[in-house]
């Protein structure tokens, strides 16, 4: 220490001398220099010692703070630090241990653990002696403490033996821990675990009861092998349990292809947590195949070793019922389509539903959505839309059952007449919950009714025509017959008295009346033959104009008697065509006779010949027309005047006749491959009868031969 002090003093003197040199530029000399140098050095020493003192105090404070923190941690820790000598007497303890055993540290030091009232007696001190006697490290030796009626407590002891420099055993150093809370938590956890196990066992028993009692076949499958099946599964497939458990699921599939297909679809996603549905044919032990469906799901998506649970069901009956229902519905739809009857319904949950035939009847495609009200109204005939809407609304508002007809117009212009019948569906409180109805195509019914009505009208007209014909025929037959009888009686009475000229006159009248009667009978026979298709025609290509001249000349005297003039207008005089001269002459005479009969006195009758075409056929033809100046033909009778026994309403009252002339003319025109029609003159009064005859020979149309 003295050497260190002398060295330090020398250093200080040297430092002082150097400082004076730096401050004053030269060394201080004399005694003052000798005194200044130690003083200056001592000052520097004091300064250095002050700085060192401050550093030491700072370190002391930090050490105390670390000690305090460590003490807090010890106080908070459940571990007690202790030391014992070789006789197991405590030589050091933490304050926390004293609080734990309910004694002050002074009351513990110098005592053994079993001498402490709180720690002893203890049934495990023998184990303590046995372990510690080995003088080896001890890890968590657990001791049970039981005192009076207090609940047991638990201590865990860990320690190491301590030896001195001479390797002599001097005692123990270690820690103790009160693990009572841990032990009690373990007991509670064990009790809770046991309770959970009992609950799980009970749940398992219930699940197994459900598993065994389930009407659906159930099986646990691991790696596509059966590991557990229920009774319903065995009954479904007909295998005994010992032949199924542990075997591949392939045994229930109809084919290898079906087995592989299901595997490819299910295996990649079998632990996705989703329920898989498999529809495939399955096979029973006896080889019978049935339509089945299986539902499978992983038992634990995190543990594939638990496999999957599958439910199997025979759906053959359901599918057969569904197929039968589909066949029934198809048959119903076919019947509805054939009968043209559709149906519809609406309710709150489903909305409006139409059958396929209802779509077709309204001109919509069944593949499209059900049309809305605006689309339906667009298809209903404009004249019926308001009526339909009013009745449909009335049915809903007043709860009526409606039955009404309306027309619909399809996009292609086709018009149908539909009959709709509907009724409301009510709940038990009388509230409207829906509507059901049918729609039927009654177009053909209405057409049949119209045809029936027309046939009735025609029959009534024919009956009236027959009556008129009979009356006219009676008159036409009676007149010449009466003339024959009258003149024959006169001739017989005056045969001897009257001059020969008079008798010749009587006989001439008889011949005229007979010829008239014969012509009438010939007309009846000709019409009968023509309608039966038995009339033969002698067709010869010949000029037409001479025939027309002959017919005009034959009836010229009759026209002159009424001061009428017959005018012939011919575009060409060399027209040649095939015709039967006798029959075409008969036709022309009938037309001229009618024109003379219906035209007024001093009237003009025109006969025209020109070249044209057959209407609707485009065939070159000769158009022969006879025009009169009579009262004309009502527009609605222009076609019916060609029916037998029918006369125009404008002339039947006073013109006379049998109603056979024009029907015979039509049959003759058809027999020549031509046609005849009537029209009213415009301008001017009267009517025109036109005959169109082909210039070349043509076969009769089918409708003529029929």
């Amino acid at each position: 220490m003295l050497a260190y002090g002398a060295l330090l003093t020398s250093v200080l003197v040297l430092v002082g001398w150097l400082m004076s040199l730096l401050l004053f530029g030269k060394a201080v000399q004399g005694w003052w220099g000798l005194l200044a140098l130690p003083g200056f050095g001592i000052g520097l020493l004091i300064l250095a010692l002050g700085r060192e003192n401050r550093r030491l105090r700072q370190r002391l404070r930090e050490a105390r703070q670390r000690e305090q923190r460590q003490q807090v941690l010890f106080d908070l820790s459940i571990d007690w630090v202790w030391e014992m000598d070789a006789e197991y007497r405590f030589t050091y303890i933490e304050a926390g241990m004293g609080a734990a055993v309910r004694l002050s540290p002074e009351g513990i030091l110098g005592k053994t653990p079993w001498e402490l009232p709180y720690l002893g007696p203890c049934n495990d001190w023998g184990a303590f002696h046995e372990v510690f006697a080995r003088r080896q490290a001890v890890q968590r030796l657990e001791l049970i403490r039981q005192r009076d009626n207090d609940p047991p407590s638990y201590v865990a002891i860990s320690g190491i033996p301590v030896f001195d420099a001479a390797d002599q055993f001097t005692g123990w150093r270690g820690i103790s821990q009160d693990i009572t809370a841990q032990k009690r938590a373990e007991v509670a956890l064990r009790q809770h675990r046991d309770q959970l196990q009992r609950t799980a066992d009970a749940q398992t028993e219930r699940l197994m009861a459900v598993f065994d009692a389930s009407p659906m076949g159930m099986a646990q499958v691991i790696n596509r092998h059966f590991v557990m099946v229920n009774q319903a599964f065995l009954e479904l497939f007909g295998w005994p349990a010992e032949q199924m458990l542990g075997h591949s699921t392939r045994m229930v599939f109809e084919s290898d292809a079906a087995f592989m297909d299901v595997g490819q679809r299910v295996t990649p996603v079998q632990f996705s947590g989703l329920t898989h549905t498999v529809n495939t044919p399955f096979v029973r032990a006896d080889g019978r195949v049935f339509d089945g469906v299986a539902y499978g799901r992983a038992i634990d998506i995190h543990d594939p070793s638990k496999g999957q649970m599958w439910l199997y069901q025979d759906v053959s009956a359901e599918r057969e019922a569904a197929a039968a229902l589909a066949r029934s519905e198809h048959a119903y739809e076919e019947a509805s389509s054939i009968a043209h009857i559709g149906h519809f319904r609406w309710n709150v949950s489903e909305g409006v539903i139409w059958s396929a035939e209802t779509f077709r009847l309204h001109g919509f495609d069944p593949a499209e959505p059900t049309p809305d009200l605006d689309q339906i109204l667009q298809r209903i005939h404009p004249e019926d839309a308001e009526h339909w809407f009013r009745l449909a609304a009335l049915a809903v508002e007043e709860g009526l059952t409606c039955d009404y007809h309306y027309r619909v117009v399809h996009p292609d212009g086709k018009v149908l007449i539909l009959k709709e019948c509907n009724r409301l569906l009510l709940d038990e409180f009388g509230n409207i919950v829906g509507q059901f109805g049918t729609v039927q195509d009654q177009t053909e019914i209405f057409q049949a009714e119209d045809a029936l009505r027309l046939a009735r009208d025609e029959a009534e007209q024919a009956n009236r025509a027959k009556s008129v014909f009979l009356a006219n025929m009676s008159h036409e037959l009676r007149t010449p017959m009466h003339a024959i009888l009258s003149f024959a009686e006169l001739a017989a009475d005056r045969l001897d008295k009257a001059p020969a000229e008079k008798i010749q006159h009587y006989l001439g009248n008889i011949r005229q009346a007979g010829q008239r009667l014969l012509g009438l009978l010939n007309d009846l026979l000709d019409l009968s033959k023509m309608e039966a298709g038995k009339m033969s025609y002698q067709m010869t290509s010949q000029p037409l104009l001479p025939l027309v001249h002959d017919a005009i000349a034959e009836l010229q005297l009759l026209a002159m008697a009424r001061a009428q003039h017959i005018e012939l207008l011919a575009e060409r005089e060399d027209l040649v065509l095939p015709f039967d001269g006798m029959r075409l002459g008969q036709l022309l005479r009938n037309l001229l006779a009618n024109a003379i009969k219906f035209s007024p006195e001093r009237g003009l009758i025109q006969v025209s010949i020109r070249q044209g075409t057959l209407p609707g056929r485009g065939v070159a033809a000769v158009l022969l027309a006879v025009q009169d100046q009579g009262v004309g033909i009502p527009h609605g009778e222009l076609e019916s005047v060609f029916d037998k026994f029918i006369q125009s309403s404008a002339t039947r009252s006073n013109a006379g006749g049998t109603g056979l002339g024009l029907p015979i003319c039509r049959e003759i025109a058809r027999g020549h491959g031509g046609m005849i029609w009537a029209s009213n003159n415009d301008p001017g009064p009267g009517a025109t009868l036109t005959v169109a005859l082909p210039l070349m020979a043509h076969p009769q149309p089918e409708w003529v031969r029929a």
Side-chain angles (χ1 to χ4, degrees):
M1 292 295 290
L2 292 175
Y4 177 75
L7 179 61
L8 181 60
T9 302
S10 299
V11 171
L12 289 176
V13 171
L14 179 59
V15 171
W17 184 81
L18 291 175
M19 289 297 295
S20 65
L21 181 62
L22 291 174
L23 292 175
F24 303 106
K26 59 181 179 177
V28 180
Q29 299 178 356
W31 292 104
W32 292 105
L34 294 175
L35 293 175
L37 289 175
F40 188 74
I42 293 171
L44 291 176
L45 179 60
I46 293 173
L47 291 175
L49 292 175
R51 285 196 297 269
E52 182 65 21
N53 185 43
R54 286 194 296 272
R55 284 197 298 269
L56 292 175
R57 289 182 179 180
Q58 179 64 26
R59 292 176 182 175
L60 181 60
R61 284 195 297 270
E62 292 175 355
R64 288 177 178 175
Q65 289 175 355
R66 285 195 298 271
E67 183 179 358
Q68 290 174 355
R69 286 195 297 270
Q70 187 175 11
Q71 186 62 45
V72 170
L73 292 176
F74 275 126
D75 293 340
L76 294 176
S77 174
I78 60 175
D79 294 336
W80 312 322
V81 180
W82 51 264
E83 291 181 357
M84 291 189 297
D85 59 16
E87 301 300 328
Y88 305 114
R89 291 187 295 270
F90 287 108
T91 59
Y92 172 80
I93 64 168
E94 289 289 340
M97 182 176 178
V101 299
R102 303 173 188 176
L103 293 172
S104 64
E106 293 76 8
I108 298 176
L109 294 177
K111 294 185 174 59
T112 62
W114 46 88
E115 291 176 339
L116 299 178
Y118 184 71
L119 292 178
C122 178
N123 297 332
D124 291 337
W125 288 127
F128 178 87
H129 280 288
E130 181 181 352
V131 171
F132 276 73
R134 301 191 191 110
R135 296 180 181 177
Q136 296 176 352
V138 178
Q139 295 290 336
R140 291 188 64 84
L141 175 64
E142 295 185 1
L143 302 177
I144 303 176
R145 305 194 303 266
Q146 183 76 44
R147 188 174 183 84
D148 299 331
N149 294 326
D150 292 342
S153 59
Y154 302 84
V155 174
I157 300 175
S158 299
I160 58 174
V162 179
F163 298 89
D164 60 13
D167 202 21
Q168 295 295 319
F169 175 69
T170 61
W172 290 85
R173 183 180 297 120
I175 61 173
S176 297
Q177 182 181 11
D178 186 353
I179 59 172
T180 302
Q182 176 183 343
K183 286 293 184 179
R184 290 174 180 174
E186 290 177 356
V187 172
L189 180 61
R190 187 164 48 253
Q191 292 175 346
H192 181 64
R193 183 186 60 198
D194 294 342
Q195 178 62 34
L196 289 178
Q197 184 63 44
R198 288 191 295 271
T199 303
D201 293 341
Q203 185 70 15
T204 301
E205 292 178 359
R206 288 193 292 268
L207 289 177
M208 290 303 300
V210 173
F211 182 81
D212 293 333
S214 172
M216 294 184 64
M218 300 178 66
Q220 183 183 3
V221 177
I222 299 178
N223 295 327
R224 305 195 77 179
H225 285 71
F226 295 113
V227 297
M228 183 171 61
V229 296
N230 68 348
Q231 184 62 33
F233 181 91
L234 299 175
E235 294 174 357
L236 176 63
F237 288 98
W239 292 94
E242 58 272 13
Q243 295 185 21
M244 297 207 77
L245 297 180
H247 289 78
S248 171
T249 56
R250 166 63 185 87
M251 63 191 304
V252 300
F253 285 90
E254 180 189 21
S255 63
D256 290 337
F259 175 70
M260 296 299 295
D261 177 66
V262 172
Q264 292 173 357
R265 287 188 287 117
V266 174
T267 301
V269 293
Q270 60 182 330
F271 295 104
S272 63
L274 302 176
T275 298
H276 313 292
T277 303
V278 174
N279 289 278
T280 187
F282 290 108
V283 62
R284 294 186 173 91
D286 58 7
R288 288 183 299 158
V289 178
F290 64 92
D291 290 329
V293 61
Y295 307 94
R297 188 169 184 175
I299 296 175
D300 187 346
I301 62 175
H302 303 294
D303 187 1
S305 65
K306 295 181 180 178
Q308 297 173 301
M309 186 62 68
W310 285 88
L311 280 72
Y312 298 83
Q313 185 177 10
D314 182 356
V315 294
S316 301
E318 290 82 351
R319 291 184 179 174
E320 179 59 32
L325 179 60
R327 291 193 296 269
S328 176
E329 290 179 348
H330 178 71
Y332 176 75
E333 289 294 337
E334 286 294 320
S336 298
S337 178
I338 295 172
H340 302 297
I341 299 177
H343 63 271
F344 64 90
R345 69 179 186 273
W346 72 262
N347 54 51
V348 177
S349 59
E350 297 178 307
V352 179
I353 299 176
W354 278 13
S355 68
E357 186 62 19
T358 303
F359 275 91
R360 288 189 286 268
L361 290 176
H362 288 84
F364 293 102
D365 186 354
E368 297 178 353
T370 303
D372 56 27
L373 179 60
D374 291 337
Q375 293 174 311
I376 297 173
L377 288 173
Q378 289 176 2
R379 293 292 168 87
I380 296 179
H381 195 284
E383 297 178 1
D384 299 343
E386 182 179 354
H387 173 70
W388 177 88
F389 185 79
R390 180 174 55 83
L391 289 178
L394 190 65
V396 176
E397 292 174 0
E398 300 188 10
L400 301 177
T401 297
C402 292
D403 181 350
Y404 48 88
H405 293 83
Y406 57 93
R407 290 168 292 175
V408 295
V409 183
H410 287 197
D412 59 1
K414 182 180 179 181
V415 179
L416 297 182
I417 302 175
L418 304 183
K419 178 183 179 182
E420 181 174 324
C421 301
N422 59 65
R423 63 182 178 86
L424 297 177
L425 305 178
L426 308 177
D427 60 14
E428 61 272 19
F429 304 106
N431 300 316
I432 299 175
V433 295
Q435 186 183 41
F436 184 85
T438 60
V439 180
Q440 182 179 9
D441 180 8
Q442 293 198 334
T443 306
E444 294 182 357
I445 296 176
F446 272 79
Q447 291 174 345
E449 290 179 352
D450 290 341
L452 182 61
R453 191 160 39 249
L454 180 61
R456 182 196 63 195
D457 295 342
E458 291 177 349
E460 291 177 352
Q461 183 179 359
N463 188 52
R464 289 192 299 269
K466 182 188 70 173
S467 300
V468 173
F469 168 76
L470 292 176
N472 290 340
M473 187 60 68
S474 299
H475 174 73
E476 295 294 330
L477 292 173
R478 186 186 302 114
T479 299
M481 186 60 68
H482 180 69
I484 291 172
L485 293 174
S486 297
F487 284 112
E489 186 178 350
L490 286 175
D493 291 342
R494 301 179 182 181
L495 182 61
D496 297 332
K497 302 176 183 178
E501 295 79 6
K502 197 67 172 178
I503 297 300
Q504 289 294 331
H505 175 69
Y506 292 153
L507 293 176
N509 288 335
I510 291 173
R511 184 175 60 254
Q512 251 182 353
Q515 289 176 344
R516 184 177 175 187
L517 183 59
L518 179 60
L520 182 60
L521 295 176
N522 285 335
D523 285 345
L524 289 172
L525 291 175
D526 288 345
L527 183 60
S528 176
K529 288 181 180 180
M530 291 176 184
E531 289 183 340
K534 297 180 179 180
M535 178 63 70
S536 61
Y537 295 92
Q538 302 299 320
M539 309 296 287
T540 304
S541 293
Q542 51 189 311
L544 177 62
L545 196 58
L547 179 70
V548 177
H549 282 301
D550 291 344
I552 293 175
E554 186 175 344
L555 295 174
Q556 187 68 48
L557 292 177
L558 183 60
M560 292 175 60
R562 295 174 58 83
Q564 296 170 340
H565 176 64
I566 301 177
E567 180 182 20
L568 175 60
L569 302 175
E571 290 183 352
R572 293 176 53 184
E573 297 183 357
D574 59 345
L575 287 173
V576 177
L577 66 155
F579 61 87
D580 185 325
M582 183 182 71
R583 293 303 174 189
L584 192 57
Q586 180 183 2
L587 179 150
L588 187 53
R589 286 191 294 272
N590 278 339
L591 296 182
L592 286 172
N594 284 341
I596 293 171
K597 180 168 57 175
F598 298 134
S599 293
E601 294 182 356
R602 292 181 292 279
L604 175 63
I605 300 171
Q606 288 184 340
V607 179
S608 63
I609 303 174
R610 60 189 176 87
Q611 192 170 347
T613 57
L614 280 172
R617 294 168 61 183
V619 176
V622 173
L623 303 181
L624 174 62
V626 177
Q627 178 179 317
D628 63 44
Q629 292 182 336
V631 296
I633 304 173
H635 181 75
E637 299 176 4
L638 291 174
E639 179 63 28
S640 63
V641 293
F642 293 98
D643 295 336
K644 59 185 179 181
F645 312 134
I646 300 298
Q647 290 180 310
S648 171
S649 60
T651 60
R652 73 165 64 106
S653 60
N654 55 10
T658 61
L660 297 177
L662 289 181
I664 291 174
C665 291
R666 182 173 63 179
E667 294 298 330
I668 293 174
R670 288 179 175 177
H672 283 74
M675 58 193 306
I676 184 173
W677 66 89
S679 61
N680 287 309
N681 300 331
D682 185 18
T688 299
L689 279 295
T690 304
V691 180
L693 301 173
L695 282 171
M696 301 295 293
H698 290 277
Q700 297 180 5
E702 291 293 334
W703 56 269
V704 173
R705 292 195 295 270

